[in-house]
Amino acid sequence: MNLSGESLLVILVVGIVAGWLAGQIVRGAGFGLIGDLLIGIVGALIGSWLLPQLGIHLGAGIVRAIINATIGAILLLLVIRLLRGGTGWGRRW
């Protein structure tokens, strides 16, 4: 697979935005640039696999990619929270 510079830039932007949104929804704060990027990219992989399996199709375009990646990233963060025995919504002690 050959990625152009523009494709890589779109992947990075979608990953950062989706990771930041998921961090805001699940934890209440972002995870830093690199953390948001990683969470967003892994979330995009999860969302692009899971949503079609459930029969959910969101259309096409960058907005769909961000929504798809954000849903996947939220699911990823919730699974991580369950496995780590997370404290609760918004509690940080």
Side-chain angles (χ1 to χ4, degrees):
M1 172 157 69
N2 189 6
L3 289 177
S4 68
E6 293 172 354
S7 297
L8 185 58
L9 182 62
V10 169
I11 290 169
L12 293 175
V13 168
V14 167
I16 291 169
V17 171
W20 179 81
L21 282 172
Q24 294 297 314
I25 293 168
V26 173
R27 185 171 164 236
F31 298 99
L33 185 63
I34 301 299
D36 287 346
L37 175 64
L38 293 175
I39 290 169
I41 290 173
V42 173
L45 293 172
I46 293 169
S48 65
W49 174 79
L50 182 63
L51 293 179
Q53 298 293 323
L54 297 173
I56 300 171
H57 302 284
L58 301 174
I62 187 115
V63 173
R64 179 212 53 96
I66 291 172
I67 293 170
N68 201 9
T70 302
I71 291 169
I74 290 170
L75 292 173
L76 173 67
L77 291 175
L78 291 174
V79 167
I80 290 171
R81 177 175 282 174
L82 286 174
L83 293 176
R84 287 180 46 193
T87 54
W89 294 99
R91 292 183 7 200
R92 296 184 184 178
W93 26 285

